[in-house]
Amino acid sequence: MSNPEETAQPDPTTMERDGFMKPKEAAKDIGCGERWLRDGANKWGFPHHRLGKALWFSPEDRIEIRNLSRIPAQPAKMRRRTKSTRPLARAA
């Protein structure tokens, strides 16, 4: 028989229960690299929370980061046909 204490998961912290994630898990959730996410929080002002030296991302922070990184759709550019200035070759 297995001991229930050995198979029990560690008790999540309050931050984890509230949906906060550390950079490694948040990067997976967002779909980016951990380094890009850390740099964004440290240099470019991505929304985040700090407790001491620990960096945390709330569900709202992750949604906002996704929205900040969103590139809106651009209408397709229509190519205009230009008249050829070159004379047509005549068949002999």
Side-chain angles (χ1 to χ4, degrees):
M1 288 189 184
S2 64
N3 187 351
E5 291 177 11
E6 292 175 9
T7 59
Q9 295 293 325
D11 187 35
T13 65
T14 304
M15 296 291 281
E16 291 168 330
R17 282 194 305 264
D18 291 343
F20 283 75
M21 292 182 175
K22 291 194 175 186
K24 188 173 186 175
E25 295 85 25
K28 286 180 184 178
D29 180 56
I30 294 170
C32 65
E34 182 182 354
R35 174 59 26 205
W36 180 83
L37 187 59
R38 283 182 179 276
D39 286 347
N42 293 325
K43 298 177 185 175
W44 305 312
F46 285 4
H48 63 283
H49 299 265
R50 283 198 188 269
L51 296 174
K53 291 185 177 183
L55 190 62
W56 292 89
F57 295 92
S58 70
E60 294 82 15
D61 294 339
R62 297 190 307 269
I63 290 168
E64 191 172 342
I65 291 168
R66 283 189 205 103
N67 291 336
L68 287 171
S69 304
R70 184 176 181 275
I71 299 172
Q74 299 292 321
K77 293 183 179 181
M78 298 290 289
R79 275 187 72 184
R80 291 180 61 185
R81 288 187 160 192
T82 58
K83 288 187 176 181
S84 176
T85 58
R86 199 172 62 188
L88 297 174
R90 290 188 175 177

